[in-house]
Amino acid sequence: MTNPEPRHPTAPLNRELVALMVEVAGAPPGWARHVTPDARLDGDLLLDEGELAELTERLRERFGPSADLAALRAGLDLTALAALTVADVQRLLPEEDTR
């Protein structure tokens, strides 16, 4: 059995985004290896509502109002919420911050 190809194989992750996720999860630094473009916020990273709320606040503080995770999540149904990935969050970041 082979692993499916990642949906975002060439999307380099913003290091600050990864660091923020590690911080809000209260995870040890080694946990960062789990923060990949295809990692689901809920199913893979196991971020709870409190952590997602804190991530939303920190994203806005660091990257500005366009990095609005709460607005993104508000427009999704349950299936889409469960499928929300780190790459989806990264797309909220201003272009110059993703390089």
Side-chain angles (χ1 to χ4, degrees):
M1 179 180 218
T2 61
N3 290 336
E5 286 294 316
R7 292 187 321 191
H8 311 285
T10 61
L13 286 179
N14 180 293
R15 290 179 186 196
E16 286 184 81
L17 173 60
V18 174
L20 287 174
M21 290 185 159
V22 170
E23 286 176 32
V24 301
W31 183 83
R33 67 183 164 80
H34 299 290
V35 182
T36 64
D38 286 326
R40 294 168 298 154
L41 302 184
D42 181 27
D44 297 318
L45 301 179
L46 305 176
L47 297 177
D48 64 28
E49 287 301 318
E51 292 163 338
L52 290 169
E54 185 175 346
L55 180 59
T56 296
E57 183 178 320
R58 290 187 183 209
L59 287 171
R60 285 184 195 147
E61 287 173 0
R62 168 56 188 97
F63 299 104
S66 66
D68 192 347
L69 179 57
L72 172 64
R73 292 181 72 229
L76 301 176
D77 63 20
L78 289 177
T79 302
L81 279 171
L84 193 64
T85 66
V86 173
D88 296 326
V89 175
Q90 180 157 293
R91 280 193 283 280
L92 296 173
L93 306 183
E95 186 109 359
E96 63 272 6
D97 288 318
T98 59
R99 291 186 195 139

